[in-house]
Amino acid sequence: TAEVQCSPWRKNACCSVSTSQELHKDGSRLYNFQWDHCGKMEPACKQHFIQDTCLYECSPNLGPWIQQVDQSWRKERILDVPLCKDNCQRWWEDCRTSHTCKSNWHKGWDWTSGVNRCPAGATCRTFESYFPTPAALCEGLWSHSYKVSNYSSGSGRCIQMWFDPDQGNPNEEVARFYASARTSGAVPCGVGALPLSLILVLPLWLLG
């Protein structure tokens, strides 16, 4: 159920119980962000956005993809997190009939009411209209916070939004792999000179 979507991270999380509870609500005070900005979002679609937020707020395994940015509302962000291709495909398939008015949700909203509204001139259309492919959704939605991986869940080479916590957190292995590759120079560095030990434990709430 939606109330327990963040539970996979309960054994090692960077978010509080109250944060987890809040992000499951429509019109959550966490961001004042309305998923239903173009009518009611389908429940199957909304669960992916809740899971996406759980990953962002609660996962301790995104350190290798933290980037420094110079923006008024944040100083750090995640960039090109290798999202498992099956997770992205399912997200797109479950959302293709829901509606939105923008292809980039990071910016360009009308916030004059205190919550996000479609900007003047924007038209509500299906997700499939704004995001014609799974990659268009997963990579474009949050300004390339994700990059669709060629790998699938269980490979140990891509981040899973969905996993069974009773089988352990597969993203721990993924973070170790990319952090190790990055410190050896095999992967373009995205976290500067941060030591491997810090990359592996850096709490996601520091993304600000």
Side-chain angles (χ1 to χ4, degrees):
T1 62
E3 288 74 16
V4 296
Q5 277 191 234
C6 291
S7 63
W9 292 275
R10 65 182 179 271
K11 294 180 180 179
N12 184 17
C14 296
C15 62
S16 65
V17 173
S18 60
T19 295
S20 175
Q21 292 172 338
E22 188 64 33
L23 64 84
H24 289 85
K25 299 177 182 177
D26 292 333
S28 168
R29 292 173 297 174
L30 197 60
Y31 303 114
N32 289 330
F33 195 93
Q34 297 281 352
W35 307 123
D36 300 332
H37 51 268
C38 276
K40 192 72 173 175
M41 181 181 281
E42 293 292 336
C45 177
K46 186 175 292 184
Q47 69 175 359
H48 291 279
F49 284 94
I50 293 173
Q51 197 73 358
D52 164 52
T53 312
C54 286
L55 178 68
Y56 179 84
E57 289 289 338
C58 301
S59 174
N61 307 122
L62 300 183
W65 300 279
I66 292 176
Q67 292 268 5
Q68 304 296 317
V69 294
D70 185 17
Q71 297 175 327
S72 60
W73 55 286
R74 62 179 179 177
K75 297 303 179 186
E76 293 179 302
R77 64 161 298 182
I78 55 172
L79 183 68
D80 291 339
V81 173
L83 182 66
C84 294
K85 64 180 180 180
D86 53 315
N87 282 197
C88 179
Q89 179 72 31
R90 181 179 166 195
W91 190 355
W92 183 77
E93 289 177 353
D94 287 344
C95 287
R96 58 195 302 181
T97 59
S98 288
H99 291 76
T100 185
C101 58
K102 285 172 50 54
S103 58
N104 185 323
W105 287 16
H106 254 157
K107 55 187 178 181
W109 296 100
D110 177 356
W111 288 96
T112 56
S113 65
V115 297
N116 60 302
R117 304 292 187 196
C118 293
T123 303
C124 287
R125 299 197 299 266
T126 63
F127 266 63
E128 191 168 16
S129 177
Y130 280 100
F131 306 107
T133 65
L137 171 64
C138 300
E139 296 179 359
L141 185 74
W142 301 124
S143 303
H144 298 279
S145 290
Y146 294 118
K147 182 176 178 61
V148 180
S149 174
N150 290 324
Y151 292 99
S152 297
S153 297
S155 65
R157 296 295 181 265
C158 60
I159 292 292
Q160 296 179 212
M161 284 206 302
W162 303 87
F163 59 89
D164 180 359
D166 291 335
Q167 304 298 318
N169 182 347
N171 295 330
E172 293 177 0
E173 176 188 349
V174 179
R176 282 194 295 268
F177 171 79
Y178 282 96
S180 178
R182 195 153 286 166
T183 55
S184 69
V187 176
C189 187
V191 269
L194 290 177
L196 175 59
S197 58
L198 179 57
I199 289 172
L200 292 177
V201 301
L202 195 64
L204 188 57
W205 54 260
L206 286 177
L207 289 175

